[in-house]
Structure formats: structure tokens, C-alpha cells
Coordinates of all heavy atoms in Angstrom, one line a residue:
M1 N 104.0 111.0 90.1 CA 103.7 111.7 91.3 C 104.2 110.9 92.5 O 104.0 109.7 92.6 CB 102.2 111.9 91.4 CG 101.9 112.8 92.5 SD 100.1 113.1 92.6 CE 100.1 113.9 94.2
A2 N 104.8 111.5 93.5 CA 105.3 110.8 94.6 C 104.5 110.9 95.8 O 103.7 111.9 96.0 CB 106.7 111.3 94.9
T3 N 104.5 109.9 96.7 CA 103.9 110.0 97.9 C 104.9 110.0 99.0 O 106.0 109.4 98.9 CB 103.0 108.7 98.2 OG1 103.7 107.6 97.8 CG2 101.7 108.9 97.4
T4 N 104.5 110.7 100.1 CA 105.5 110.8 101.3 C 105.5 109.4 101.9 O 104.5 108.8 102.2 CB 104.9 111.8 102.3 OG1 104.8 113.1 101.6 CG2 105.9 112.0 103.4
C5 N 106.7 109.0 102.3 CA 107.0 107.8 103.0 C 106.6 108.0 104.4 O 107.0 108.9 105.1 CB 108.5 107.4 102.9 SG 108.9 106.0 103.8
T6 N 105.6 107.1 104.9 CA 105.2 107.3 106.3 C 106.2 106.7 107.3 O 106.2 107.1 108.4 CB 103.8 106.6 106.5 OG1 103.9 105.3 106.1 CG2 102.7 107.3 105.7
R7 N 107.0 105.8 106.9 CA 107.9 105.2 107.8 C 108.9 106.2 108.3 O 109.3 106.2 109.5 CB 108.7 104.0 107.1 CG 109.6 103.3 108.0 CD 109.8 101.9 107.4 NE 111.0 101.3 108.0 CZ 111.2 100.8 109.2 NH1 110.2 100.8 110.0 NH2 112.3 100.3 109.6
C8 N 109.4 107.1 107.5 CA 110.4 108.1 107.9 C 109.7 109.5 107.9 O 110.4 110.5 108.1 CB 111.6 108.1 107.0 SG 111.2 108.6 105.3
E9 N 108.4 109.5 107.7 CA 107.6 110.8 107.7 C 108.2 111.8 106.7 O 108.2 113.0 107.0 CB 107.6 111.4 109.1 CG 106.8 110.5 110.1 CD 106.8 110.9 111.5 OE1 107.7 111.6 111.9 OE2 105.8 110.6 112.2
G10 N 108.7 111.3 105.7 CA 109.2 112.2 104.6 C 110.6 112.7 104.8 O 111.1 113.4 103.9
S11 N 111.2 112.4 105.9 CA 112.6 112.9 106.1 C 113.6 112.1 105.4 O 114.7 112.7 105.1 CB 112.9 112.8 107.6 OG 113.1 111.5 108.0
G12 N 113.3 110.9 105.0 CA 114.3 110.0 104.3 C 115.2 109.3 105.3 O 116.1 108.6 104.8
F13 N 115.1 109.6 106.6 CA 115.9 109.0 107.6 C 115.1 108.3 108.7 O 114.0 108.7 109.0 CB 116.9 110.0 108.2 CG 117.9 110.6 107.3 CD1 117.6 111.8 106.7 CD2 119.1 110.0 107.0 CE1 118.5 112.4 105.8 CE2 120.0 110.5 106.1 CZ 119.7 111.7 105.5
L14 N 115.7 107.4 109.4 CA 115.1 106.8 110.5 C 115.9 107.2 111.8 O 117.1 107.4 111.7 CB 115.2 105.2 110.4 CG 114.4 104.6 109.3 CD1 114.6 103.1 109.3 CD2 113.0 105.0 109.3
N15 N 115.2 107.3 112.9 CA 115.8 107.6 114.2 C 116.5 109.0 114.3 O 117.4 109.2 115.0 CB 116.9 106.6 114.6 CG 116.2 105.2 114.6 OD1 115.2 105.0 115.2 ND2 116.9 104.2 114.0
L16 N 115.9 110.0 113.5 CA 116.5 111.3 113.5 C 116.4 112.0 114.9 O 117.2 112.9 115.2 CB 115.7 112.2 112.6 CG 116.1 112.2 111.1 CD1 115.3 113.2 110.3 CD2 117.6 112.5 111.0
F17 N 115.5 111.5 115.8 CA 115.4 112.0 117.1 C 116.7 111.9 117.9 O 116.9 112.5 118.9 CB 114.2 111.4 117.9 CG 114.4 109.9 118.1 CD1 115.0 109.5 119.3 CD2 113.9 109.0 117.2 CE1 115.2 108.1 119.5 CE2 114.1 107.6 117.4 CZ 114.8 107.2 118.6
Q18 N 117.5 111.0 117.5 CA 118.8 110.7 118.2 C 119.8 111.8 117.9 O 120.8 111.9 118.6 CB 119.4 109.4 117.8 CG 118.5 108.2 118.3 CD 119.1 106.9 118.0 OE1 120.1 106.8 117.2 NE2 118.5 105.8 118.5
I19 N 119.6 112.7 116.9 CA 120.5 113.8 116.7 C 120.1 114.9 117.7 O 118.9 115.3 117.8 CB 120.4 114.3 115.2 CG1 120.8 113.1 114.3 CG2 121.2 115.5 115.0 CD1 120.8 113.5 112.8
P20 N 121.1 115.4 118.4 CA 120.8 116.5 119.4 C 120.0 117.7 118.7 O 120.3 118.1 117.6 CB 122.2 116.9 119.8 CG 123.1 115.8 119.5 CD 122.5 115.1 118.3
D21 N 119.1 118.2 119.5 CA 118.2 119.3 119.0 C 119.0 120.4 118.4 O 118.6 121.0 117.3 CB 117.4 119.9 120.2 CG 116.3 118.9 120.6 OD1 116.0 117.9 119.8 OD2 115.7 119.1 121.6
E22 N 120.1 120.8 119.0 CA 120.9 121.9 118.6 C 121.4 121.7 117.2 O 121.3 122.6 116.3 CB 122.0 122.1 119.5 CG 122.6 123.4 119.6 CD 123.7 123.5 120.6 OE1 123.4 123.3 121.8 OE2 124.9 123.6 120.2
E23 N 121.9 120.5 116.9 CA 122.4 120.2 115.5 C 121.2 120.0 114.6 O 121.3 120.5 113.4 CB 123.2 118.9 115.6 CG 124.5 119.1 116.4 CD 125.5 118.0 116.3 OE1 126.0 117.9 115.2 OE2 125.6 117.2 117.2
M24 N 120.2 119.4 115.1 CA 119.0 119.1 114.2 C 118.4 120.4 113.7 O 118.0 120.5 112.5 CB 118.0 118.3 115.0 CG 117.0 117.6 114.1 SD 117.8 116.4 113.0 CE 116.6 116.5 111.6
S25 N 118.3 121.4 114.5 CA 117.7 122.7 114.1 C 118.6 123.4 113.0 O 118.1 124.0 112.1 CB 117.4 123.6 115.3 OG 118.6 124.0 115.9
K26 N 119.8 123.1 113.1 CA 120.8 123.6 112.1 C 120.5 122.9 110.8 O 120.4 123.5 109.7 CB 122.2 123.4 112.5 CG 123.1 124.6 112.4 CD 124.5 124.4 112.8 CE 124.8 123.1 113.6 NZ 126.2 123.0 114.0
F27 N 120.4 121.6 110.8 CA 120.1 120.8 109.6 C 118.8 121.2 109.0 O 118.6 121.2 107.8 CB 120.1 119.3 110.0 CG 121.4 118.8 110.4 CD1 121.5 117.8 111.3 CD2 122.6 119.4 109.9 CE1 122.8 117.3 111.7 CE2 123.9 118.9 110.3 CZ 123.9 117.9 111.3
N28 N 117.8 121.4 109.9 CA 116.4 121.7 109.4 C 116.4 123.0 108.5 O 115.6 123.2 107.7 CB 115.4 121.9 110.5 CG 115.0 120.5 111.0 OD1 114.9 119.5 110.2 ND2 114.6 120.4 112.2
R29 N 117.4 123.9 108.8 CA 117.4 125.2 108.1 C 118.3 125.1 106.9 O 118.5 126.0 106.1 CB 117.9 126.3 109.0 CG 116.9 126.7 110.1 CD 117.3 128.0 110.7 NE 118.6 128.0 111.3 CZ 118.9 127.7 112.6 NH1 117.9 127.4 113.4 NH2 120.1 127.6 113.1
S30 N 119.0 123.9 106.7 CA 119.9 123.8 105.7 C 119.3 123.4 104.3 O 118.4 122.6 104.3 CB 121.0 122.8 106.1 OG 121.8 122.4 105.0
A31 N 119.8 123.9 103.2 CA 119.3 123.5 101.9 C 119.9 122.1 101.6 O 119.4 121.4 100.7 CB 119.8 124.5 100.9
D32 N 121.0 121.8 102.3 CA 121.6 120.5 102.1 C 121.3 119.5 103.1 O 122.1 118.7 103.6 CB 123.1 120.6 102.0 CG 123.6 121.4 100.8 OD1 123.0 121.1 99.7 OD2 124.5 122.2 100.9
F33 N 120.0 119.6 103.6 CA 119.5 118.7 104.7 C 120.0 117.3 104.6 O 120.7 116.8 105.6 CB 118.0 118.7 104.7 CG 117.4 117.9 105.8 CD1 117.3 118.3 107.1 CD2 116.8 116.6 105.5 CE1 116.7 117.5 108.1 CE2 116.3 115.8 106.5 CZ 116.2 116.3 107.8
H34 N 119.7 116.6 103.5 CA 120.1 115.2 103.5 C 121.6 115.0 103.5 O 122.1 114.0 104.1 CB 119.4 114.6 102.2 CG 117.9 114.6 102.3 ND1 117.2 115.5 101.7 CD2 117.1 113.8 102.9 CE1 115.9 115.3 102.0 NE2 115.8 114.2 102.7
K35 N 122.3 115.8 102.7 CA 123.8 115.7 102.7 C 124.4 115.9 104.1 O 125.3 115.3 104.5 CB 124.4 116.7 101.7 CG 125.5 116.1 100.8 CD 126.3 117.3 100.2 CE 125.6 118.0 99.1 NZ 126.4 119.1 98.6
D36 N 123.8 116.9 104.8 CA 124.3 117.3 106.1 C 124.1 116.1 107.1 O 124.9 115.8 107.9 CB 123.6 118.5 106.7 CG 124.0 119.8 106.0 OD1 125.0 119.7 105.2 OD2 123.5 120.8 106.2
I37 N 122.9 115.5 107.0 CA 122.6 114.4 107.9 C 123.6 113.2 107.6 O 124.1 112.5 108.5 CB 121.2 113.9 107.8 CG1 120.2 115.0 108.0 CG2 120.9 112.7 108.7 CD1 119.8 115.3 109.5
L38 N 123.7 112.9 106.3 CA 124.7 111.8 105.9 C 126.1 112.1 106.5 O 126.7 111.2 107.0 CB 124.7 111.7 104.4 CG 123.5 111.1 103.7 CD1 123.6 111.2 102.2 CD2 123.2 109.7 104.2
G39 N 126.5 113.4 106.5 CA 127.8 113.8 107.1 C 127.8 113.5 108.6 O 128.8 113.0 109.1
W40 N 126.7 113.8 109.2 CA 126.6 113.6 110.7 C 126.7 112.1 111.0 O 127.4 111.7 111.9 CB 125.3 114.2 111.2 CG 125.2 114.2 112.7 CD1 125.5 115.2 113.5 CD2 124.7 113.1 113.5 NE1 125.3 114.8 114.8 CE2 124.8 113.5 114.9 CE3 124.2 111.8 113.2 CZ2 124.4 112.7 115.9 CZ3 123.8 111.0 114.3 CH2 123.9 111.4 115.6
I41 N 126.0 111.3 110.2 CA 126.0 109.9 110.4 C 127.4 109.3 110.3 O 127.9 108.5 111.1 CB 125.1 109.2 109.3 CG1 123.6 109.5 109.7 CG2 125.3 107.6 109.3 CD1 122.6 109.0 108.6
E42 N 128.2 109.8 109.3 CA 129.6 109.4 109.1 C 130.5 109.8 110.3 O 131.4 109.0 110.6 CB 130.1 110.0 107.9 CG 130.2 109.1 106.7 CD 130.6 109.8 105.4 OE1 131.5 110.6 105.5 OE2 130.0 109.6 104.4
K43 N 130.2 110.9 110.9 CA 131.0 111.4 112.0 C 130.7 110.8 113.4 O 131.5 110.9 114.3 CB 130.9 112.9 112.1 CG 132.0 113.6 111.2 CD 131.9 115.1 111.4 CE 131.2 115.8 110.2 NZ 130.5 116.9 110.4
H44 N 129.6 110.2 113.5 CA 129.2 109.7 114.8 C 128.9 108.2 114.8 O 128.4 107.7 113.7 CB 127.9 110.4 115.3 CG 128.1 111.9 115.5 ND1 128.1 112.8 114.4 CD2 128.3 112.6 116.5 CE1 128.3 114.0 114.8 NE2 128.5 113.9 116.1
N45 N 129.2 107.5 115.8 CA 129.0 106.0 115.8 C 128.0 105.5 116.8 O 127.4 104.5 116.6 CB 130.4 105.4 116.2 CG 131.4 105.6 115.1 OD1 131.1 105.5 113.9 ND2 132.6 106.0 115.6
D46 N 127.7 106.3 117.8 CA 126.8 105.8 118.9 C 125.4 106.2 118.7 O 124.8 106.9 119.4 CB 127.3 106.4 120.2 CG 127.5 107.9 120.2 OD1 127.5 108.4 119.1 OD2 127.5 108.5 121.3
H47 N 124.8 105.7 117.5 CA 123.4 106.1 117.2 C 122.9 105.1 116.2 O 123.6 104.3 115.6 CB 123.4 107.5 116.6 CG 124.1 107.6 115.3 ND1 123.5 107.2 114.1 CD2 125.3 107.9 115.0 CE1 124.3 107.4 113.1 NE2 125.5 107.7 113.6
D48 N 121.6 105.2 116.0 CA 120.9 104.3 115.0 C 120.3 105.1 113.8 O 119.5 104.6 113.1 CB 119.8 103.5 115.6 CG 120.3 102.7 116.8 OD1 121.3 102.0 116.6 OD2 119.7 102.8 117.9
V49 N 120.8 106.4 113.7 CA 120.3 107.2 112.6 C 120.8 106.5 111.3 O 122.0 106.2 111.1 CB 120.8 108.6 112.7 CG1 120.2 109.4 111.5 CG2 120.4 109.2 114.0
Q50 N 119.9 106.3 110.3 CA 120.3 105.8 109.1 C 119.3 106.2 108.0 O 118.2 106.7 108.2 CB 120.2 104.2 109.2 CG 118.8 103.7 109.4 CD 118.7 102.2 109.2 OE1 119.1 101.4 110.0 NE2 118.2 101.8 108.1
V51 N 119.7 106.0 106.7 CA 118.8 106.2 105.6 C 117.6 105.3 105.8 O 117.8 104.1 106.1 CB 119.5 106.0 104.3 CG1 118.5 106.0 103.1 CG2 120.6 107.0 104.0
C52 N 116.4 105.8 105.5 CA 115.2 105.0 105.7 C 115.3 103.7 104.8 O 115.8 103.7 103.7 CB 114.0 105.8 105.2 SG 112.5 105.0 105.3
D53 N 114.8 102.6 105.4 CA 114.9 101.3 104.7 C 113.6 101.1 103.9 O 113.3 100.0 103.5 CB 115.2 100.2 105.6 CG 114.3 100.1 106.7 OD1 113.2 100.7 106.7 OD2 114.6 99.3 107.7
C54 N 112.7 102.1 103.8 CA 111.5 101.9 103.1 C 111.6 102.7 101.7 O 111.4 102.1 100.7 CB 110.3 102.4 103.9 SG 108.7 102.1 103.2
C55 N 111.8 104.0 101.8 CA 112.0 104.8 100.6 C 113.5 104.7 100.1 O 113.8 105.1 99.1 CB 111.6 106.2 100.8 SG 112.4 107.0 102.2
G56 N 114.3 104.0 100.9 CA 115.7 103.7 100.5 C 116.1 102.3 101.0 O 115.2 101.5 101.3
N57 N 117.4 102.0 101.0 CA 117.8 100.7 101.3 C 118.7 100.7 102.6 O 119.4 99.8 102.8 CB 118.5 100.0 100.2 CG 119.8 100.7 99.8 OD1 120.2 101.6 100.5 ND2 120.3 100.4 98.6
G58 N 118.6 101.8 103.3 CA 119.5 101.9 104.5 C 120.8 102.7 104.3 O 121.4 103.1 105.2
E59 N 121.1 102.8 103.0 CA 122.4 103.6 102.7 C 122.1 104.6 101.7 O 122.7 105.7 101.7 CB 123.4 102.6 102.2 CG 124.0 101.7 103.2 CD 125.0 100.7 102.7 OE1 125.5 100.9 101.5 OE2 125.3 99.7 103.4
T60 N 121.2 104.4 100.8 CA 120.9 105.4 99.8 C 119.4 105.2 99.4 O 118.7 104.3 99.9 CB 121.8 105.2 98.5 OG1 121.5 106.3 97.6 CG2 121.5 103.9 97.8
W61 N 118.9 106.2 98.6 CA 117.4 106.2 98.4 C 117.1 105.6 97.0 O 117.9 105.8 96.1 CB 116.9 107.6 98.5 CG 116.9 108.1 99.9 CD1 116.0 107.9 100.9 CD2 118.0 108.9 100.5 NE1 116.5 108.5 102.1 CE2 117.6 109.1 101.8 CE3 119.1 109.5 100.0 CZ2 118.4 109.9 102.7 CZ3 119.9 110.3 100.8 CH2 119.6 110.5 102.2
H62 N 115.9 105.0 96.9 CA 115.5 104.5 95.6 C 115.2 105.6 94.7 O 115.4 105.6 93.5 CB 114.2 103.6 95.8 CG 114.4 102.4 96.7 ND1 115.5 101.6 96.5 CD2 113.8 102.0 97.7 CE1 115.5 100.6 97.4 NE2 114.4 100.8 98.2
G63 N 114.6 106.7 95.2 CA 114.2 107.9 94.4 C 114.6 109.1 95.2 O 115.7 109.2 95.7
L64 N 113.6 110.0 95.4 CA 113.9 111.2 96.3 C 113.7 110.7 97.7 O 112.8 110.0 98.1 CB 112.8 112.3 96.0 CG 113.0 113.1 94.7 CD1 111.9 114.1 94.5 CD2 114.4 113.8 94.7
P65 N 114.6 111.2 98.6 CA 114.5 110.9 100.0 C 113.1 111.2 100.6 O 112.6 112.3 100.4 CB 115.6 111.8 100.7 CG 116.6 112.1 99.6 CD 115.7 112.1 98.3
G66 N 112.5 110.2 101.3 CA 111.3 110.4 101.9 C 110.1 110.3 101.0 O 108.9 110.6 101.4
E67 N 110.3 110.0 99.8 CA 109.2 109.9 98.8 C 109.2 108.5 98.1 O 110.3 108.0 97.8 CB 109.2 111.0 97.8 CG 108.9 112.3 98.4 CD 108.7 113.4 97.4 OE1 108.8 113.1 96.2 OE2 108.5 114.6 97.8
H68 N 108.0 108.1 97.8 CA 107.9 106.9 96.9 C 107.7 107.4 95.5 O 107.1 108.5 95.3 CB 106.8 106.0 97.4 CG 107.1 105.3 98.7 ND1 108.2 104.5 98.9 CD2 106.5 105.4 99.9 CE1 108.3 104.1 100.1 NE2 107.3 104.6 100.8
Y69 N 108.0 106.6 94.5 CA 107.9 107.0 93.1 C 106.5 107.5 92.8 O 106.4 108.5 92.1 CB 108.2 105.8 92.2 CG 109.6 105.4 92.2 CD1 109.9 104.1 92.5 CD2 110.6 106.3 92.0 CE1 111.2 103.6 92.5 CE2 111.9 105.9 92.0 CZ 112.2 104.6 92.2 OH 113.5 104.1 92.2
N70 N 105.5 106.8 93.2 CA 104.2 107.3 92.8 C 103.1 106.7 93.8 O 103.5 106.2 94.8 CB 103.8 106.7 91.4 CG 104.2 105.2 91.2 OD1 103.8 104.5 92.1 ND2 104.9 104.9 90.2
N71 N 101.9 107.0 93.5 CA 100.9 106.6 94.4 C 100.7 105.1 94.5 O 100.1 104.6 95.5 CB 99.5 107.3 94.1 CG 99.6 108.8 94.4 OD1 100.2 109.2 95.4 ND2 99.0 109.6 93.6
E72 N 101.0 104.4 93.5 CA 100.9 103.0 93.5 C 102.2 102.4 94.1 O 103.2 102.9 94.0 CB 100.8 102.4 92.0 CG 99.7 103.1 91.2 CD 98.3 102.6 91.7 OE1 98.2 101.5 92.2 OE2 97.4 103.4 91.6
D73 N 102.0 101.2 94.7 CA 103.2 100.5 95.2 C 104.0 100.1 93.9 O 103.4 99.7 92.9 CB 102.9 99.3 96.0 CG 102.4 99.7 97.4 OD1 102.9 100.6 97.9 OD2 101.4 99.0 97.8
P74 N 105.3 100.2 94.0 CA 106.1 99.9 92.8 C 105.9 98.4 92.4 O 105.6 97.6 93.3 CB 107.6 100.0 93.3 CG 107.5 100.9 94.5 CD 106.1 100.6 95.1
P75 N 106.0 98.1 91.1 CA 105.7 96.8 90.7 C 106.5 95.7 91.3 O 107.7 95.9 91.6 CB 105.9 96.8 89.2 CG 106.8 98.0 89.0 CD 106.5 99.0 90.1
G76 N 105.9 94.6 91.5 CA 106.4 93.4 92.2 C 107.9 93.0 92.0 O 108.8 93.8 92.5
P77 N 108.1 91.9 91.4 CA 109.4 91.2 91.4 C 110.6 92.1 90.9 O 111.7 91.9 91.3 CB 109.2 90.0 90.5 CG 107.8 89.9 90.3 CD 107.1 91.2 90.6
N78 N 110.3 93.1 90.1 CA 111.4 93.8 89.5 C 111.6 95.2 90.2 O 112.5 95.9 89.9 CB 111.2 94.1 88.0 CG 111.1 92.7 87.3 OD1 111.9 91.8 87.5 ND2 110.1 92.6 86.4
G79 N 110.7 95.6 91.1 CA 110.8 96.9 91.7 C 111.7 96.8 92.9 O 112.2 95.8 93.3
P80 N 112.0 98.0 93.5 CA 112.9 98.1 94.6 C 112.4 97.4 95.9 O 113.2 97.2 96.8 CB 113.1 99.6 94.8 CG 111.9 100.2 94.2 CD 111.5 99.3 93.0
Y81 N 111.1 97.1 95.9 CA 110.6 96.5 97.1 C 110.3 95.0 96.9 O 109.5 94.4 97.6 CB 109.3 97.2 97.5 CG 109.5 98.7 97.7 CD1 109.1 99.5 96.7 CD2 110.2 99.1 98.8 CE1 109.4 100.9 96.9 CE2 110.4 100.5 99.0 CZ 110.0 101.4 98.0 OH 110.3 102.7 98.1
A82 N 111.0 94.4 95.9 CA 110.8 93.0 95.6 C 111.0 92.1 96.8 O 110.2 91.1 97.0 CB 111.7 92.6 94.5
Y83 N 111.9 92.5 97.7 CA 112.2 91.7 98.9 C 111.0 91.7 99.8 O 110.9 90.8 100.7 CB 113.5 92.2 99.6 CG 113.3 93.6 100.1 CD1 112.8 93.8 101.4 CD2 113.6 94.7 99.3 CE1 112.7 95.1 101.9 CE2 113.5 96.0 99.8 CZ 113.0 96.2 101.1 OH 112.8 97.4 101.5
N84 N 110.1 92.7 99.6 CA 109.0 92.7 100.5 C 107.7 92.4 99.7 O 106.6 92.9 99.9 CB 108.8 94.1 101.1 CG 107.8 94.2 102.3 OD1 107.7 93.2 103.0 ND2 107.1 95.3 102.3
G85 N 107.8 91.6 98.7 CA 106.7 91.2 97.9 C 106.2 92.4 97.0 O 105.1 92.4 96.5
G86 N 107.1 93.3 96.7 CA 106.8 94.4 95.9 C 106.1 95.6 96.6 O 105.7 96.6 95.9
L87 N 105.9 95.5 97.9 CA 105.2 96.5 98.6 C 106.1 97.4 99.4 O 107.1 96.9 99.9 CB 104.2 95.9 99.6 CG 103.1 95.0 99.0 CD1 102.3 94.4 100.2 CD2 102.1 95.9 98.2
C88 N 105.8 98.7 99.4 CA 106.6 99.6 100.2 C 106.4 99.1 101.7 O 105.3 98.7 102.0 CB 106.0 101.0 100.2 SG 105.9 101.7 98.5
L89 N 107.4 99.2 102.5 CA 107.3 98.8 103.9 C 106.3 99.6 104.7 O 105.7 99.1 105.6 CB 108.6 98.9 104.6 CG 109.8 98.0 104.0 CD1 111.0 98.1 104.9 CD2 109.3 96.6 103.9
C90 N 106.0 100.8 104.3 CA 105.1 101.6 105.0 C 103.7 101.5 104.6 O 102.8 102.1 105.1 CB 105.5 103.1 105.0 SG 105.4 103.8 103.4
H91 N 103.4 100.6 103.6 CA 102.0 100.4 103.1 C 101.5 99.0 103.6 O 102.3 98.1 103.8 CB 102.0 100.5 101.6 CG 102.1 101.9 101.1 ND1 101.9 102.3 99.9 CD2 102.5 103.0 101.8 CE1 102.1 103.6 99.7 NE2 102.5 104.0 100.9
Ligands
LIG101 ZN1 111.2 106.5 104.1

């Protein structure tokens, strides 16, 4: 069971507010939300929108975008959050 990542509020991205409302509302209605945002990131340079560095690593996600694997923090040294002592950044 997954928990919503609080750092990106489940969106899987950071700084989404920097995407203009007009484009964002288009993305929000899209079934390919994450793919569309990644495309937007590639096409634009003057922003800090990126894949979340808590449920992801800044470029891709550890599991599902905006979600952690389960209710427990992933196990320490071998988990994806080993660099943070095994804890999700948002916990
Ligand atoms: Zn996240």
C-alpha cells in the first residue's frame, strides 16, 4: 500500500506552480499527466520544475509518481532513501 508523498503533494513534481495556469489546466485533464509534464520540462529552460526528489530522484520516480511504496519508510541502507538515512524526505 502506498502513501501520498507530502513533499510534492502527490503530483510527483516540484515547483509545478511555475507552469502557466493555461498549460497546467490542460495537463490536469490529461491521462498522460506525468508524461506531459516531463515533455514540458524538456521544452522549457527558465524554471525549477522537476521530478520530486522525495518519491523520486529528481529525474525519475522510485515507484509511482507522488507515492511511496508503503506506509512504512523504506528500509535503511538498501532502500532508495539510503542517502537520507533510509527515511523519505517528507517524513
Ligand atoms: Zn514526491
Side-chain angles (χ1 to χ4, degrees):
M1 188 179 170
T3 44
T4 302
C5 175
T6 54
R7 184 158 158 74
C8 63
E9 295 176 332
S11 69
F13 294 97
L14 300 179
N15 301 314
L16 276 183
F17 65 89
Q18 293 181 350
I19 296 179
D21 288 347
E22 205 177 294
E23 296 190 68
M24 200 58 212
S25 63
K26 227 180 347 180
F27 295 149
N28 279 332
R29 288 195 303 269
S30 169
D32 291 321
F33 178 79
H34 295 97
K35 223 200 285 175
D36 288 352
I37 303 274
L38 287 174
W40 188 93
I41 290 173
E42 257 174 42
K43 270 185 254 146
H44 298 79
N45 295 314
D46 52 345
H47 65 85
D48 304 309
V49 184
Q50 63 166 80
V51 170
C52 182
D53 57 12
C54 184
C55 54
N57 62 11
E59 288 177 17
T60 185
W61 293 277
H62 299 310
L64 285 177
E67 291 188 1
H68 293 300
Y69 291 126
N70 47 48
N71 287 323
E72 305 290 330
D73 286 324
N78 301 316
Y81 306 101
Y83 63 90
N84 193 38
L87 297 174
C88 307
L89 295 185
C90 63
H91 287 191

